Amino acid sequence: TVYPIFARAAREAIAGQDIYCHLQDPYRYSPFVAYAFTPLASLPDAWGGVIWRLLNAAVFLGGLAWWSRCVLPETISRKQQALLFLMAAPLAIGSLHNGQSNALIVGLLLIGMAAVVTERWNLASACVALACLFKVYPIALGLLLAIAYPRRLSLRLGLGIGLGLLV
């Protein structure tokens, strides 16, 4: 599992230690992520790992549900929506089981796109910015959305990423 790496980095960040010094099982995320993990790191790793996985699953499934309602045609049936979830589940199970952040990132990006469709600009920029603070590649979607909606999203997304980096 990857969760103990996150928890160790959070504990080291709070203690003022170098979070990037480990050669075996290195921490590869931003300091923001380490500090964001401090509530979970205060729990035993078994409990923190379970909560982390449940959070990932909730964000991914919630994002997929909202995105499918906002983006897919209204003519899609419940059966077709259930099929979408069944097709997505095998792709997410590996990341969820391992405690990786991939499901969380995809869920945040799905929520961000659904928020754009429903014109919830602050939520869209916050979700995309949070995904960018976990890994760099979501910035591609953020930049595409900022180009498509420059007056509504550019400044918000920039501020979201900037504030996250300041933290």
Side-chain angles (χ1 to χ4, degrees), residues 43-142:
L43 300 171
D45 279 353
W47 285 98
V50 168
I51 294 170
W52 170 242
R53 286 174 178 88
L54 290 174
L55 174 69
N56 278 328
V59 171
F60 175 70
L61 294 173
L64 186 60
W66 191 26
W67 177 86
S68 67
R69 283 193 309 270
C70 292
V71 175
L72 297 179
E74 290 181 12
T75 58
I76 189 169
S77 69
R78 303 276 266 169
K79 186 177 180 179
Q80 290 170 322
Q81 192 172 20
L83 186 60
L84 172 68
F85 276 81
L86 285 174
M87 290 188 315
L91 302 173
I93 285 178
S95 290
L96 290 171
H97 173 68
N98 226 10
Q100 296 175 359
S101 61
N102 300 333
L104 176 74
I105 292 168
V106 171
L108 287 169
L109 294 177
L110 288 169
I111 292 169
M113 289 186 292
V116 165
V117 170
T118 58
E119 298 185 359
R120 293 183 174 136
W121 306 110
N122 291 332
L123 178 61
S125 60
C127 288
V128 174
L130 187 57
C132 291
L133 292 169
F134 264 87
K135 296 196 180 205
V136 176
Y137 66 83
I139 194 70
L141 177 65

Side-chain angles (χ1 to χ4, degrees), residues 9 22 70 155:
H22 299 277
C70 292
L155 183 61

